[in-house]
Amino acid sequence: MKRQKRDRLERAHAQGYRAGVTGRSKEICPYQNLDARSQWLGGYREAMEDRGGGLFSKGQ
């Protein structure tokens, strides 16, 4: 059961990261569960930091 929960949370983080990289709004978070929502928003914030740091620049 722990593996399933971890996988779900990892997937939420990855989806949040993808949303952030593509520039979507954090308001579109599809999760209502607090743990999953926290992971999604964490991924989103991480992507925003990476974008701000130039990891995903348009010229390359």
Side-chain angles (χ1 to χ4, degrees):
M1 185 64 175
K2 287 186 179 185
R3 180 183 169 108
Q4 289 176 351
K5 185 174 183 180
R6 185 178 66 241
D7 290 346
R8 227 177 314 136
L9 295 178
E10 288 174 1
R11 188 169 52 243
H13 186 273
Q15 288 175 345
Y17 190 87
R18 279 195 301 270
V21 166
T22 58
R24 299 176 77 186
S25 171
K26 69 178 176 182
E27 301 301 321
I28 63 157
C29 177
Y31 295 97
Q32 301 301 318
N33 177 296
L34 184 60
D35 290 336
R37 186 173 184 84
S38 294
Q39 287 295 317
W40 192 93
L41 290 170
Y44 183 86
R45 283 190 296 272
E46 188 177 321
M48 288 291 112
E49 289 174 6
D50 289 348
R51 285 184 70 189
L55 186 59
F56 298 101
S57 60
K58 292 183 179 179
Q60 297 177 0

